[in-house]
């Protein structure tokens, strides 16, 4: 089955510390992976995507993600967390189906950055 | 550029009624996708429209339908509402022809409550 999994419902990190939000994927063929963030009472915002190329993808707001094919992972990282990074983070995968493709989202990880 | 707008922002209906939600994409965007977000099921893809044609469809019953107008505005309709339809309905637009592979811009959502 083509899917993504976010093993942690909640991640807490101190302000200024590095943060990691985990995502693993399962797909037949090449994966197309995304990270989106959702702030309270707002829609989702695109952070970054991996289609092909460099395994380290840089995105918005200082975030980056590392694509690891052998571990089937696409973890989101940031060197120094800000309180304003507190939000709900979603990993997503393009799921290929006959005649159609759609975006499959993980269950989300709530990140809390503690001042 | 104005972002994706969704109306109404909040809606309360009773079981058995039907509802229509509206989405205006970013000017120039021709692809509009709809998603349902619930605490139990997470974010699920409903359907995508491009140039007034439904291009992709998720795994939802026929009570969920949509359409897109020539100005790219889209509406989503749910008939015979059930309690389980209570959710945040998100609309996203994309400027490219194949939205799933590119950044999607999300609206703030319509919060539907079914009593």
């Amino acid at each position: 089955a083509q899917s993504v999994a976010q093993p942690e419902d909640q991640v807490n990190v101190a302000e200024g510390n590095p943060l990691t939000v985990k995502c693993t994927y399962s797909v037949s063929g090449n994966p197309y992976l995304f990270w989106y963030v959702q702030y309270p009472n707002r829609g989702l915002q695109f952070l970054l995507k991996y289609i092909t190329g460099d395994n380290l993808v840089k995105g918005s707001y200082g975030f980056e993600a590392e694509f690891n094919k052998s571990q089937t992972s696409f973890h989101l990282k940031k060197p120094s967390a800000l309180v304003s990074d507190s939000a709900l983070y979603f990993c997503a995968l393009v799921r290929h189906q006959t005649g159609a493709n759609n975006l499959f989202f993980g269950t989300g990880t709530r990140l809390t950055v503690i001042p | 550029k104005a972002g994706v707008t969704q109306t109404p922002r909040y809606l309360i209906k009773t079981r058995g009624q039907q509802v229509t939600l509206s989405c205006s994409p970013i000017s120039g965007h021709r692809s509009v996708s709809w998603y349902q977000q619930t605490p139990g099921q997470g974010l699920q893809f409903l359907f995508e429209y491009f140039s007034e044609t439904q291009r992709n469809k998720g795994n939802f019953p026929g009570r969920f339908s949509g359409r897109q107008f020539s100005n790219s505005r889209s509406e989503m309709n749910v008939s015979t509402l059930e309690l389980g339809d209570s959710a945040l309905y998100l609309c996203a637009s994309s400027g490219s022809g194949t939205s799933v592979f590119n950044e999607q811009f999300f609206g703030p959502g319509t919060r539907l409550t079914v009593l």
Side-chain angles (χ1 to χ4, degrees):
Chain A
Q2 301 177 68
S3 65
V4 290
Q6 294 181 245
E8 300 162 319
D9 292 336
Q10 173 82 42
V11 170
N12 297 325
V13 63
E15 186 178 21
N17 281 4
L19 70 87
T20 298
V21 183
K22 296 179 181 177
C23 173
T24 59
Y25 67 89
S26 172
V27 67
S28 53
N30 294 322
Y32 298 90
L33 297 158
F34 296 77
W35 277 102
Y36 280 86
V37 59
Q38 187 174 33
Y39 297 101
N41 300 315
R42 292 168 67 176
L44 277 71
Q45 293 181 38
F46 170 84
L47 282 177
L48 50 82
K49 68 179 179 183
Y50 174 83
I51 301 296
T52 186
D54 290 339
N55 290 341
L56 187 64
V57 181
K58 293 192 182 296
S60 307
Y61 313 121
F63 284 93
E64 57 188 26
E66 186 174 5
F67 173 72
N68 189 316
K69 189 172 183 177
S70 62
Q71 297 185 4
T72 61
S73 66
F74 188 56
H75 301 332
L76 182 69
K77 301 182 179 185
K78 188 174 182 182
S80 178
L82 300 172
V83 172
S84 57
D85 293 330
S86 298
L88 190 56
Y89 290 80
F90 290 95
C91 179
L93 167 81
V94 173
R95 188 157 55 179
H96 302 283
Q97 296 176 314
T98 303
N101 299 310
N102 62 70
L103 207 54
F104 179 88
F105 285 88
T107 51
T109 298
R110 186 163 299 281
L111 173 69
T112 300
V113 180
I114 302 162
Chain B
K1 253 187 187 177
V4 177
T5 57
Q6 293 186 244
T7 56
R9 291 293 310 277
Y10 301 91
L11 207 47
I12 299 175
K13 292 285 188 179
T14 56
R15 278 180 299 175
Q17 287 187 309
Q18 67 111 23
V19 67
T20 299
L21 312 181
S22 181
C23 171
S24 293
I26 290 173
S27 178
H29 285 191
R30 294 165 63 190
S31 169
V32 174
S33 297
W34 288 89
Y35 296 86
Q36 181 196 64
Q37 186 176 19
T38 61
Q41 299 298 318
L43 266 163
Q44 296 185 86
F45 171 77
L46 279 155
F47 29 64
E48 180 202 2
Y49 286 86
F50 181 80
S51 293
E52 303 178 64
T53 300
Q54 187 180 86
R55 185 159 62 178
N56 288 310
K57 190 176 189 303
N59 190 25
F60 277 80
R63 299 185 297 107
F64 292 81
S65 64
R67 59 178 174 168
Q68 187 180 32
F69 302 95
S70 58
N71 62 357
S72 293
R73 189 177 71 84
S74 177
E75 287 183 347
M76 186 193 120
N77 185 77
V78 187
S79 62
T80 321
L81 284 165
E82 300 177 0
L83 295 178
D85 297 334
S86 294
L88 180 67
Y89 290 88
L90 294 166
C91 165
S93 75
S94 175
S96 71
T98 310
S99 65
V100 289
F101 296 103
N102 292 283
E103 176 181 1
Q104 295 186 61
F105 296 82
F106 283 79
T110 294
R111 172 78 60 188
L112 172 65
T113 302
V114 182
L115 302 175

